[in-house]
Amino acid sequence: MVNITRAADLTMVGANGGGWVAPVGTAALASPLAQPTDPWQALGAISDDGLVNGWDEESQQFTPWGLTSPFRTQITQSVRTFSLTVWETSRLPVMSLHYRIDEDDLAPVSGITKFAETASPVPDRRAFWFLVIDGDSYRGFYVPQGEINERSDVTYKQDEMSGFEWTITTYPDAAGNTVYHVDKIPATPADPLS
């Protein structure tokens, strides 16, 4: 009879987590559980939808004459994304990201912040750090170069929290990497029947 093995401690629930942003070129944190410090800035409260790490891949299949299934597949596009909704829409780093405006241009004058949105936005790449925590386990994602390439509509309504919903596309660094993973997960136990 087949022995089915299961280990609950090898699962991951995004029970808690956070996100930070810094200028491109900012190094990854030396310790994943250390509190990020300047130049890292918190994105603040993230909606209870959490963080979505996405893959967008396309491939080309090569099927030889006389066969009905491919004998080779070549990946032609592989894009990594992170999606989240930030709720602290008045936090300066969040406003800076959403509107592609330097934080210095958002500084209040006499208590009032004024800015204009351009009809010709320019690229706005930044470094990102995301941490997902589940008890003693965690997953960290360092994005050396990322940019918000999708923004949702923002709703201002009495019974709904306003938020900025983003999809961040990752770009390769000088080493050709888009995302660096730092995970603390329990060791997989040996199969008792092996």
Side-chain angles (χ1 to χ4, degrees):
M1 182 152 138
V2 175
N3 181 33
I4 306 296
T5 59
R6 295 179 179 93
D9 59 340
L10 298 180
T11 64
M12 186 78 178
V13 174
N16 200 353
W20 293 264
V21 63
V24 167
T26 303
L29 300 175
S31 173
L33 294 181
Q35 179 62 44
T37 58
D38 190 46
W40 290 103
Q41 294 181 291
L43 297 178
I46 295 172
S47 80
D48 54 357
D49 290 332
L51 178 70
V52 177
N53 179 206
W55 281 262
D56 179 12
E57 292 191 329
E58 294 180 11
S59 62
Q60 172 68 43
Q61 295 181 339
F62 299 94
T63 304
W65 190 13
L67 295 180
T68 58
S69 55
F71 77 139
R72 178 162 179 198
T73 301
Q74 178 67 40
I75 301 296
T76 58
Q77 174 181 298
S78 183
V79 178
R80 301 294 180 265
T81 61
F82 290 89
S83 300
L84 69 159
T85 301
V86 292
W87 278 344
E88 294 182 29
T89 57
S90 296
R91 185 181 282 269
L92 281 182
V94 170
M95 289 180 65
S96 172
L97 276 167
H98 191 75
Y99 295 106
R100 296 183 189 100
I101 295 175
D102 190 272
E103 274 190 58
D104 293 340
D105 296 335
L106 294 170
V109 176
S110 301
I112 303 294
T113 298
K114 294 182 180 181
F115 64 94
E117 295 182 55
T118 179
S120 302
V122 297
D124 185 24
R125 292 186 181 185
R126 317 242 186 140
F128 291 89
W129 169 247
F130 299 109
L131 182 63
V132 179
I133 301 171
D134 181 12
D136 291 334
S137 299
Y138 62 80
R139 291 221 161 128
F141 305 96
Y142 167 63
V143 177
Q145 290 193 53
E147 182 176 29
I148 299 170
N149 70 334
E150 288 184 32
R151 293 165 172 78
S152 72
D153 296 340
V154 180
T155 301
Y156 299 99
K157 190 177 171 193
Q158 183 175 359
D159 62 348
E160 188 174 322
M161 178 72 76
S162 296
F164 295 152
E165 184 179 342
W166 300 330
T167 297
I168 299 164
T169 297
T170 64
Y171 299 104
D173 62 7
N177 299 315
T178 57
V179 181
Y180 292 84
H181 297 251
V182 182
D183 299 347
K184 180 186 175 211
I185 54 177
T188 302
D191 187 342
L193 299 176
S194 296

